[in-house]
Amino acid sequence: MLNRRQFLALGVTVGGAAALPFSQLIPADANEAEPIHKGYHLGKRTSGTGVRPAVTAFTEQMPVPPTVQAAQSAGGMDIYMIPIRASTAEFIPGKQTPVLTYAGSFVGPTIRAKTGRPVKVVYANQLDQPANVHLHGGHVPAASDGHPMDVIQPGQTRVYDYPNLQQGATLWYHDHSHHTEAEHVYRGLHGFYLIEDEAEQGLGLPSGQYDVPIMLRDAEFDKDGGLIFFDDPANRTTILANGKIQPFFPVAARKYRIRLLNASNEHVFQLNLGGQEMVQIASDIGLLPAPVPLTELVLASAQRAEIVIDFSRFAVGTKVVLSNGSEPVLRFDVVRKALDLSRLPATLRPLPPLPTATAEREVAMSFDLSSSSPVGLVNGKPYDPNRVDFQIKRGTTEIWNVINADNVEGVDIDHTFHMHMTHFRVLDRDGGKPPLPQDAGLKDTVRVPPRSRVRVQASFPDYLGKYVYHCHYLEHSSLGMMAQMEIVP
Ligand code: C2O
Ligand code: CU
């Protein structure tokens, strides 16, 4: 039987009707005396007693994260300065919650980039602990990738170069410091990075104030409003939309482009508008070939999906609730009529043809549960920064067979799979079954449910060097479920 700490680490769900409640699986003497992994901790260690925040639904307006202004724009590039610092956020009215931030806000400032126009970001680490920045979904040189061992020491600054030689997409940036990424991201080191390209602009999709990034993520609060980190991720039952608990968002009766990001460490959202239609136009790495109407959108940790919602179907005064399953997350209030010159074209962006693969590999993710502290494994080994797991020749394209290799009877352990630097297509699942709707388009993160496998194809056209790939349940990767590839000439 798994012990308490193992459960805390895994965020597992116990399958079957005979499953005991989580609390009964915890031996009384096994308490949260030791952290499940080493690292730095912010402020006091919270006790693990979660309290449902007393917030009246739909009383606060959802903010849109501010777009950061360039400190300098010269020579065809934009330079941004972003401090990494501790701050507070008001999740619960009247309570200030300590958080870690990019530039002071719980949802970091949005960087808006253009394809072909380089961006430099100067990050100044004002924390008392190492931190760094990974551009998730970015196709960037290894030196700017935010490799887990490549951190910014306290008091230091670091320049990251983003060439933006990729098509338009909703990316995000977050901490990736070794062993501390899970806690850092949980406490707020996350923000949007949006790339737009010309072809996309020409489509006439909703833009400007009608193009709204929304970061969805979970959290667990203690009675003082503090964020509880050392607990079962399943207890993170409060969902934040751009850092607010069940906010409302006033909209005009017209089309909106909504960029959804699941920034939870470990959570799969099942998003719906109570049966109303939404139209998916993009996944992780940008536009789909054509719009896909749907009534439910499944979004796992780190994944993005862009949807168009046409509020002109609704009379002014209508309230449309976005829910996760049956739990309301955010309410759109249709407050006014508006002229709408935007379009939703029948075709968006064709997918590039899949080249013939030059190699096939297996990647098995699992936990070693034999000791009291679980260890995350990829192909049987925990992450070792001094080891190169796969050497890959530049210019190749490969099929990776990604396997959820955990097989504990009666316990379902979910995983996701994310690759740095490159993007992939999902080819099939479970030995030839077609991909799921949420696998469509160009991806960088795919869900690998219990006892399943998924084949993906990725290309390695240009950059050399070391990049990681890992489970994007961040507690899993910080426990070792990560490995490293080196692209060589
Ligand atoms: Cu979103 Cu390796 O990370
Ligand atoms: Cu995992």
Side-chain angles (χ1 to χ4, degrees), residues 134-137 145-146 148 172-176 181 185 301-302 304 418-420 444-445 468-472 474 477 482:
H134 168 58
L135 179 58
H136 182 119
D145 186 53
W172 63 301
Y173 59 99
H174 64 77
D175 184 86
H176 218 304
E181 69 273 39
V185 174
S301 286
R304 289 84 69 210
H418 169 54
M419 293 173 86
H420 283 214
D444 58 48
T445 307
V468 293
Y469 49 96
H470 56 90
C471 178
H472 213 291
L474 293 180
S477 55
M482 181 159 66

Side-chain angles (χ1 to χ4, degrees), residues 124-135:
N125 183 4
Q126 299 172 0
L127 302 176
D128 58 1
Q129 49 192 272
N132 77 355
V133 188
H134 168 58
L135 179 58

Side-chain angles (χ1 to χ4, degrees), residues 167 287-289 348-352:
Q167 291 178 300
L287 294 172
L288 299 173
L348 298 167
R349 178 198 291 162
L351 284 167

Side-chain angles (χ1 to χ4, degrees), residues 28-110:
D29 58 339
N31 226 317
E32 43 279 304
E34 299 164 52
I36 50 172
H37 60 264
K38 323 252 172 301
Y40 293 84
H41 308 296
L42 179 80
K44 71 181 161 74
R45 287 277 306 286
T46 39
S47 69
T49 307
V51 171
R52 181 86 197 172
V55 171
T56 312
F58 315 130
T59 49
E60 275 207 87
Q61 183 166 336
M62 182 188 75
V64 175
T67 300
V68 63
Q69 296 306 310
Q72 203 184 317
S73 288
M77 88 163 57
D78 300 309
I79 301 174
Y80 298 96
M81 316 269 274
I82 297 184
I84 304 172
R85 62 180 179 89
S87 183
T88 58
E90 193 171 313
F91 302 109
I92 301 164
K95 292 196 169 159
Q96 293 300 319
T97 300
V99 292
L100 298 179
T101 70
Y102 294 112
S105 52
F106 179 72
V107 179
T110 300

Side-chain angles (χ1 to χ4, degrees), residues 1-4 7 14 18-28:
M1 181 52 73
L2 303 183
N3 68 26
R4 174 181 169 84
F7 270 103
V14 179
L20 294 164
F22 179 78
S23 57
Q24 292 181 31
L25 292 164
I26 303 166

Side-chain angles (χ1 to χ4, degrees), residues 208-229:
Q209 61 172 304
Y210 307 111
D211 172 355
V212 183
I214 302 179
M215 177 189 287
L216 300 175
R217 54 155 290 177
D218 58 13
E220 183 185 10
F221 292 95
D222 65 20
K223 61 177 186 354
D224 303 316
L227 282 168
I228 295 175
F229 177 68

Side-chain angles (χ1 to χ4, degrees), residues 252-384:
R254 53 156 290 154
K255 290 191 283 302
Y256 278 72
R257 176 182 191 169
I258 303 212
R259 300 172 187 257
L260 297 167
L261 157 66
N262 181 348
S264 312
N265 281 12
E266 297 188 32
H267 210 133
V268 179
F269 289 132
Q270 283 164 317
L271 302 170
N272 65 80
L273 297 173
Q276 298 282 352
E277 182 184 275
M278 42 192 166
V279 180
Q280 188 179 0
I281 57 166
S283 64
D284 295 344
I285 295 296
L287 294 172
L288 299 173
V292 180
L294 31 82
T295 52
E296 189 192 58
L297 178 72
V298 181
L299 201 63
S301 286
Q303 294 182 328
R304 289 84 69 210
E306 298 180 35
I307 55 174
V308 169
I309 304 178
D310 190 352
F311 293 104
S312 72
R313 286 175 290 164
F314 306 110
V316 168
T318 308
K319 299 173 192 326
V320 183
V321 176
L322 175 74
S323 299
N324 172 38
S326 58
E327 166 147 16
V329 169
L330 159 67
R331 192 179 73 189
F332 296 103
D333 293 0
V334 184
V335 294
R336 63 185 169 91
K337 290 209 159 98
L339 183 67
D340 187 0
L341 298 176
S342 71
R343 291 191 306 269
L344 178 52
T347 57
L348 298 167
R349 178 198 291 162
L351 284 167
L354 270 179
T356 308
T358 45
E360 274 205 53
R361 298 178 196 268
E362 269 198 3
V363 180
M365 294 182 291
S366 65
F367 275 108
D368 175 359
L369 299 169
S370 61
S371 74
S372 67
S373 295
V375 179
L377 308 173
V378 174
N379 288 343
K381 296 178 195 142
Y383 177 62
D384 177 352

